[in-house]
Amino acid sequence: MIRFHGLRQAGVFIWTLIYVINQHIHVSAPTLRRFELDITSTFLNPDCQNSSYPVLLVNNQFPAPTLRVVKGDDVEVIIHNSATTLNVSTSVHFHGIRQYGTVESDGVPEVTQAAIPPGETFIHRFRVVDQSGTYFYHAHVSFQDDTVQGALIVYDDEKSFPNDSHEENHQTLHDGPYQYDGERILQLSEWWHQEFLDREAYYMGKDFIFDKGANSILINGRTVHHDNYNSSLDISTRGDCPGYSVLDVQPNKTYRIRVIGSQSFRTLGLAIGQHKMTIIESDGQLTKPYEVDWLEIGPGQRFSVLIHTGDMKKDTDNLFPISTSYRWRHRSPGGHSENGFAYLRYSAIDQPELQTVFKPVLPERTGIEIAQEHEYPSYTLVNELPAFPRKNLPDWFWRDIAPMNDYNEVELKLLNALPDRVIKLRSTSVKLENNETRYLMNGRMPVVREQHILADLMQGRMSVSMAHLDEDGYAPDRHTFPIKKGEVVDIVLQNTQSGRNCLIHPWHTHGHSHYMIASGLGEYIHTTHGDIRNYPTPILRDVSMVYPSEPDESGGCGWSKIRIYADNPGLWALHCHITSHMVQGKMAVIEESPELINSHKLYKYDTEWAIHPSN
Ligand SMILES: *[C@@H]1O[C@H](CO)[C@@H](O)[C@H](O)[C@H]1NC(C)=O
Ligand SMILES: *[C@@H]1O[C@H](CO)[C@@H](O)[C@H](O)[C@H]1NC(C)=O
Ligand SMILES: *[C@@H]1O[C@H](CO)[C@@H](O)[C@H](O)[C@H]1NC(C)=O
Ligand SMILES: *[C@@H]1O[C@H](CO)[C@@H](O)[C@H](O)[C@H]1NC(C)=O
Ligand SMILES: *[C@@H]1O[C@H](CO)[C@@H](O)[C@H](O)[C@H]1NC(C)=O
Ligand SMILES: *[C@@H]1O[C@H](CO)[C@@H](O)[C@H](O)[C@H]1NC(C)=O
Ligand SMILES: [Cu+2]
C-alpha cells in the first residue's frame, strides 16, 4: 500500500513534468480538462409511460452531461461507481477517441480494465490527438448504455466553443471552411419498458427467440409513448409529462446540428420537417458538403449537418417536426417510428438550453377526431411529418460522401497499398445445446476472461508469438487477432443469416478509425473479391455498416471491408454496436504489437500497472 502511494506520487510528478516539457515545446500547451462523473442507480420514466424503470445515470442526468474539450487537450475523467442500489459493476468508453498511447483508458471490461465495482473509482486519462468533431461516451457493460450516454465534443480550438455571448454578439463559429451561427446536439436513444437487467437475462438465457425493438425512440432523452396519447392529451391527467424535446433556434440563421446515434439497437432514418440538411461531418471527420433530406444513422454513428432556418411566421407556433423512421428491420421502411419525434422551434430569443413541448403527433386517420374529442388545440398529424423513402437503400449515400480535404500522400499510399494482413470475421448466431443464443466469430464461442487482457500482459503472463496463429489469424491461446505495428490491415465483416433474417450490423473499431473500402453481397471470397474497391472516396469513420443482402448458398448475406493502419499498440475491441449483439458475443479483440505498449505509453504511470511493473 505504501509502495502504491509512493508510485502514485511519482506518477503525479512525471505527469507535471510532461506538462512542463510540453509547454516549452509547443506554442500552445495541452490543457488538462478534468471531469468527474458519478454513476448512480435511480428510476427513470422518459416517455411518460406510467411506470419507471431502474437505470444507471451519470451525475443524475439523462442524457449524461456533455463533455467539451479541445483537440490536443489532456483529458482526465474520474468515474465513481455509486450504483450501490443496483449493485452492478460498470465501465465507460469514449467512443471514437483513438486513445493513442493510453489503451488503459479505453474502458472495455475484460480487455483493458476490470469493470468498476460499486463503491470504487476509475480514472481515465487520454490526450485528444489529431481529431476533433462529434463523439460520445457510454457504458460498456451489459445494457447500461441505454442511459449511461452523453455527448463528447472536440473543438479545434477554444474560440470554437459555443457560448451564449457569441450568439448574442452575432459571432459566427467556424470548423474548417464551414461557418454557422450556433450548434445544437440531437442525441438518439431507445427505451424499453423492461428493466435492463431483465433484458440482459433474456438475451443471455434460454428463452431468447429474437430481438424485440424498444418501446420508445427518445430524442435528447424524451418522447411521449403512443399508448398514452389519449390520456396525455387530457391536461388533467397528463401529470408531469413534459412532452417532446425541442431544439430552439433563431430564424434566418445557420445551425450545426450534431446528431449522435447513441441508440443501441435500431438503425434509424432522421429528418427535419421543411429543412434540408447538409452533411459536413461524419464520425469526427469533416466531409465535403452533401445535402440530404434524411440521414441514416446506426448505433454508434454521428453526423454534423448544417440547417438554415427560415423566417418566423405570425399566427403559427413555428414548430417543425423532427421524425425518425425504422430502417432495415421489422417494419416497412417508409413509415415513421411510433414516437421518435422532437421539434425544431423558431424563437426570437436564443434559448440554447433544451426545452420540451407537448404537441402530440396523432395518427393520420383518427388524429383529428382524437384532437376534437379531447379539445386539443395543437397537434401534428403523422402525414405532416417529413417523408422517408419506401425502400431500403443498401449503402445509403455513403459512396457519394467524400472527405473535406483531398487525400494527402500518406493517405493515398494507405488507400492504394496491398494489405499486409486480411482478417475475415464471419459471425453466426447460433442456438447452443443449452438453448442459449450466442454469436460465434469464425465458429468460436465467446470467451469469458478471468482477468482483463491488459493485466495479463502487464504481469508478463502471456508472451506474444505471431508464429502460431490459426489460419484465420486467431491466436488460440490468447483469444485475440494479433496484428503488428506498421501493418495495413483489412478486416472483412461477414454477415450471415440468423434464423430467417439477414440483419444490418454497425461495426465499431476501438483504437483506430477505419476506411470502409468495399462492400458486397453474399459471401466474401478473397480470391474473387479481394481487389474490389467500390467506395471511391472513403472517409475515416469508427462505425461502418454491414448491409444485409440475400443469402447465397453458403449463408453469407453481405459483407463490408474496412482498412486500418496499425499505428497504435494496444488491445482494441472490434464489435457490433448493437448492444445486444455485442453482449451475445459479436466482438473480437485486435491485439496490436503488445510488446510495444509500454514504450508507447503516453503517460509514464498508471495506478494499476504500477502495482505490477512489467519492465
Ligand atoms: C397505468 O398502469 C395501471 C396499472 O398497470 C393501469 O391500470 C392504467 O390503465 C395505466 N394508465 C395509463 C394511462 O396507461
Ligand atoms: C453485490 O454483489 C456482489 C457480487 O455479486 C455480492 O457479493 C454482494 O453481496 C452484493 N451486495 C449487496 C449489498 O447486495
Ligand atoms: C464566447 O465565444 C466568443 C467567440 O469565440 C469569445 O470571444 C468569448 O470570450 C466567449 N465567452 C465566454 C464567456 O466564454
Ligand atoms: C437573413 O440573414 C441575412 C444574412 O445575415 C440577411 O442579409 C437577410 O437580410 C436576412 N433576411 C431576413 C428576412 O431577415
Ligand atoms: C384514442 O382515441 C381514439 C378516438 O377516440 C380511439 O379511436 C383510439 O382507439 C384511442 N386509443 C387508445 C390507445 O385508447
Ligand atoms: C431446449 O429447448 C427444447 C425445446 O423447447 C427443450 O425440449 C429442451 O429441453 C431444452 N433444453 C434445455 C437444456 O433447456
Ligand atoms: Cu449487430
Side-chain angles (χ1 to χ4, degrees):
M1 217 42 200
I2 288 162
R3 185 166 157 237
F4 176 80
H5 279 286
L7 281 165
R8 194 187 173 87
Q9 275 163 17
V12 171
F13 171 71
I14 292 165
W15 173 262
T16 318
L17 202 64
I18 292 170
Y19 282 133
V20 174
I21 292 164
N22 272 325
Q23 277 174 7
H24 284 93
I25 295 172
H26 297 290
V27 180
S28 57
T31 306
L32 174 63
R33 278 181 218 275
R34 188 174 271 132
F35 301 96
E36 206 153 343
L37 304 180
D38 194 23
I39 304 208
T40 54
S41 32
T42 182
F43 288 84
L44 198 67
N45 173 19
D47 64 350
C48 307
Q49 213 239 0
N50 82 4
S51 56
S52 312
Y53 295 88
V55 294
L56 300 185
L57 290 189
V58 179
N59 294 358
N60 221 27
Q61 292 175 39
F62 179 63
T66 298
L67 311 184
R68 298 181 198 274
V69 305
V70 169
K71 185 160 86 179
D73 280 354
D74 283 311
V75 182
E76 181 171 281
V77 187
I78 303 163
I79 313 278
H80 302 293
N81 182 351
S82 307
T84 40
T85 318
L86 278 178
N87 193 23
V88 289
S89 297
T90 190
S91 80
V92 172
H93 169 61
F94 301 87
H95 180 109
I97 299 295
R98 291 177 209 132
Q99 301 286 0
Y100 280 110
T102 51
V103 61
E104 71 279 5
S105 290
D106 199 38
V108 185
E110 293 188 39
V111 180
T112 65
Q113 68 173 88
I116 316 161
E120 300 207 1
T121 293
F122 187 92
I123 303 176
H124 296 259
R125 292 188 189 88
F126 57 88
R127 184 172 295 168
V128 185
V129 181
D130 208 17
Q131 61 181 139
S132 58
T134 308
Y135 302 88
F136 70 117
Y137 62 100
H138 60 80
H140 218 288
V141 173
S142 169
F143 292 87
Q144 295 172 10
D145 58 344
D146 286 354
T147 48
V148 177
Q149 48 159 279
L152 167 59
I153 312 295
V154 183
Y155 295 95
D156 266 344
D157 50 47
E158 219 140 324
K159 279 192 304 236
S160 318
F161 266 66
N163 63 34
D164 293 352
S165 87
H166 84 251
E167 291 198 10
E168 278 162 25
N169 300 332
H170 307 288
Q171 284 169 296
T172 51
L173 295 165
H174 299 256
D175 196 353
Y178 299 113
Q179 283 189 22
Y180 38 95
D181 299 296
E183 61 174 63
R184 300 287 182 265
I185 290 170
L186 198 158
Q187 192 174 329
L188 296 161
S189 57
E190 288 163 290
W191 178 247
W192 279 262
H193 294 163
Q194 183 182 29
E195 289 193 28
F196 74 89
L197 290 169
D198 290 347
R199 209 159 91 251
E200 179 179 18
Y202 169 70
Y203 274 95
M204 298 308 274
K206 54 189 163 69
D207 297 329
F208 174 80
I209 304 165
F210 62 88
D211 292 332
K212 294 175 185 167
N215 296 81
S216 288
I217 305 292
L218 309 179
I219 298 183
N220 291 337
R222 286 241 59 91
T223 190
V224 181
H225 192 264
H226 53 110
D227 281 353
N228 291 358
Y229 278 166
N230 286 4
S231 56
S232 47
L233 277 169
D234 184 348
I235 291 166
S236 62
T237 58
R238 199 199 300 165
D240 57 0
C241 176
Y244 300 101
S245 292
V246 170
L247 303 187
D248 269 311
V249 290
Q250 292 180 15
N252 192 28
K253 287 197 183 249
T254 302
Y255 285 89
R256 175 183 193 159
I257 314 278
R258 296 179 184 268
V259 184
I260 301 179
S262 41
Q263 78 274 20
S264 59
F265 181 68
R266 276 190 163 65
T267 294
L268 295 171
L270 182 101
I272 305 177
Q274 297 174 48
H275 291 75
K276 287 201 181 281
M277 298 177 277
T278 302
I279 295 169
I280 61 163
E281 181 219 331
S282 157
D283 287 8
Q285 199 187 18
L286 288 183
T287 64
K288 293 206 160 64
Y290 189 81
E291 193 181 82
V292 293
D293 293 320
W294 63 286
L295 295 173
E296 177 189 275
I297 182 158
Q301 295 183 323
R302 291 91 59 212
F303 289 99
S304 284
V305 296
L306 295 183
I307 60 163
H308 191 75
T309 56
D311 293 333
M312 289 273 276
K313 294 220 167 63
K314 287 212 176 87
D315 308 321
T316 79
D317 51 14
N318 284 292
L319 284 167
F320 302 89
I322 300 172
S323 175
T324 54
S325 165
Y326 300 137
R327 311 305 297 178
W328 294 106
R329 283 195 72 155
H330 293 324
R331 295 206 177 57
S332 84
H336 302 274
S337 66
E338 295 88 344
N339 66 1
F341 308 122
Y343 286 99
L344 184 77
R345 174 167 64 191
Y346 293 176
S347 51
I349 319 148
D350 203 79
Q351 298 167 296
E353 287 303 308
L354 294 173
Q355 314 285 321
T356 55
V357 66
F358 197 91
K359 180 179 179 182
V361 179
L362 299 175
E364 39 195 298
R365 292 220 190 111
T366 51
I368 295 170
E369 281 168 46
I370 296 173
Q372 279 167 352
E373 185 183 321
H374 295 270
E375 295 176 15
Y376 200 79
S378 173
Y379 54 88
T380 297
L381 290 178
V382 163
N383 63 3
E384 292 164 1
L385 297 174
F388 293 93
R390 298 259 150 212
K391 281 214 172 91
N392 281 316
L393 301 177
D395 295 296
W396 185 58
F397 304 121
W398 285 117
R399 290 181 213 265
D400 301 328
I401 298 177
M404 181 66 237
N405 297 316
D406 291 342
Y407 299 112
N408 64 28
E409 246 171 76
V410 176
E411 290 163 332
L412 274 180
K413 204 173 148 198
L414 171 60
L415 284 169
N416 294 330
L418 286 176
D420 298 299
R421 192 181 293 274
V422 179
I423 298 171
K424 179 179 172 186
L425 290 176
R426 188 174 201 275
S427 41
T428 44
S429 176
V430 172
K431 194 144 185 103
L432 306 173
E433 255 171 45
N434 65 7
N435 288 346
E436 291 172 357
T437 299
R438 294 291 180 273
Y439 272 99
L440 308 191
M441 303 295 291
N442 291 352
R444 298 185 188 90
M445 275 288 288
V447 291
V448 178
R449 299 175 200 269
E450 278 169 25
Q451 90 171 343
H452 62 96
I453 313 174
L454 198 53
D456 285 341
L457 282 174
M458 291 305 138
Q459 292 167 7
R461 289 255 301 263
M462 291 198 241
S463 59
V464 195
S465 161
M466 301 293 283
H468 300 100
L469 304 183
D470 289 353
E471 215 172 313
D472 61 347
Y474 185 77
D477 47 343
R478 312 164 67 76
H479 308 294
T480 60
F481 287 87
I483 66 174
K484 278 182 169 154
K485 185 171 185 249
E487 285 182 340
V488 174
V489 181
D490 284 354
I491 301 167
V492 178
L493 304 161
Q494 177 69 55
N495 263 0
T496 62
Q497 226 174 336
S498 101
R500 274 177 304 133
N501 298 317
C502 186
L503 308 176
I504 190 166
H505 298 283
W507 278 85
H508 176 49
T509 47
H510 287 225
H512 306 85
S513 294
H514 58 256
Y515 291 107
M516 170 124 159
I517 56 175
S519 69
L521 312 176
E523 183 87 27
Y524 174 89
I525 303 190
H526 191 65
T527 45
T528 315
H529 304 122
D531 296 331
I532 292 178
R533 296 282 181 278
N534 51 16
Y535 269 59
T537 52
I539 44 181
L540 268 179
R541 286 155 64 184
D542 51 66
V543 177
S544 283
M545 289 297 190
V546 184
Y547 288 90
S549 79
E550 285 300 311
D552 60 20
E553 60 282 0
S554 70
C557 61
W559 54 269
S560 290
K561 186 190 265 184
I562 61 174
R563 170 164 292 191
I564 61 170
Y565 177 64
D567 60 353
N568 193 11
L571 295 155
W572 304 117
L574 166 67
H575 63 90
C576 179
H577 217 276
I578 293 175
T579 306
S580 55
H581 294 179
M582 182 188 78
V583 166
Q584 287 185 330
K586 205 167 165 117
M587 171 155 165
V589 177
I590 302 291
E591 179 164 355
E592 179 173 340
S593 288
E595 71 286 0
L596 298 179
I597 291 177
N598 267 322
S599 58
H600 279 68
K601 269 195 208 171
L602 179 63
Y603 307 125
K604 299 301 176 200
Y605 84 108
D606 181 287
T607 49
E608 203 170 342
W609 302 2
I611 304 169
H612 308 289
S614 57
N615 291 336

